[in-house]
Amino acid sequence: MTSFICPHCKAFSTFSVVWLDNSRQAGPTSSTRHGASRCNNPSCSKVIGGYVHQSSGEVNDWWPRHVGGKEFPDVPEHIASTADEAHQSLSIGAHRGAIALARAVVEATAKDHGITKGMLDKKIDEMAKQGVISDAMKDAAHEIRFAGNEVAHADLAEEPITKEDAEEVLALMDAILTRVYQEPAQVARVRQRREERRGGE
């Protein structure tokens, strides 16, 4: 059994082998095989791939090495968790998944503001009409929508999605969440502290 920091939950944990490919050699030695191991942290239990020693079950190397998410403390939990998952997908090279989740974040943001009718393009236009997002943010939201549509419908063999594509789409998603949720919450906190100081005069 091997112990190291889990790339998913970030806890120092032991790992148990749940699958081992005994059909062929892989890795640095003749006794190493491709395998999958599960994190024994009960709040995680996620699986990683790696090179596993055939007899000892020791994990010699593993992937992903790092799963990086992002926190959105002022965003509703169901939207924040989806945005975080988009960043986790990006960190492990799941570029199409990251873009699809960014599109879902835009739609969830519209629904969170009571805009539920029509396709996503109509929801985005309505968010701008109601002042939820600016015209610049409307353009950003449409670009996320276009990218999400490409992922869902394009011939992926002919139109590959690059890391740069996904990074730019997620940067637009982050900007929308900042404008819609995080900046207003920050302003409210600053105002509250100012009013509390004045009240103490």
Side-chain angles (χ1 to χ4, degrees), residues 42-185:
S43 64
C44 179
S45 300
K46 291 187 178 178
V47 174
I48 59 170
Y51 295 135
V52 180
H53 193 276
Q54 189 173 14
S55 59
S56 70
E58 180 182 357
V59 181
N60 298 122
D61 193 9
W62 64 91
W63 54 84
R65 282 283 184 173
H66 172 73
V67 178
K70 185 171 181 178
E71 293 186 359
F72 298 87
D74 297 311
V75 177
E77 195 280 331
H78 68 289
I79 300 175
S81 64
T82 305
D84 174 45
E85 189 174 342
H87 279 278
Q88 291 183 36
S89 297
L90 177 63
S91 77
I92 62 171
H95 304 143
R96 299 181 187 95
I99 290 172
L101 287 164
R103 185 188 186 282
V105 165
V106 172
E107 185 142 20
T109 300
K111 291 179 178 178
D112 186 53
H113 287 81
I115 302 168
T116 58
K117 294 182 179 179
M119 302 295 286
L120 182 55
D121 60 335
K122 302 300 183 186
K123 291 185 178 80
I124 291 171
D125 290 343
E126 186 62 25
M127 279 198 291
K129 182 179 178 182
Q130 293 186 19
V132 176
I133 56 176
S134 66
D135 286 339
M137 286 294 100
K138 179 180 77 170
D139 292 341
H142 279 303
E143 288 304 320
I144 295 171
R145 177 177 65 85
F146 292 141
N149 290 346
E150 278 189 313
V151 166
H153 304 297
D155 186 338
L156 298 179
E158 295 181 4
E159 299 182 34
I161 302 297
T162 67
K163 178 182 178 183
E164 290 72 23
D165 293 330
E167 286 175 338
E168 290 182 350
V169 168
L170 263 61
L172 294 178
M173 176 195 75
D174 290 352
I176 289 171
L177 294 179
T178 297
R179 300 296 185 274
V180 174
Y181 294 107
Q182 294 183 193
E183 285 183 353

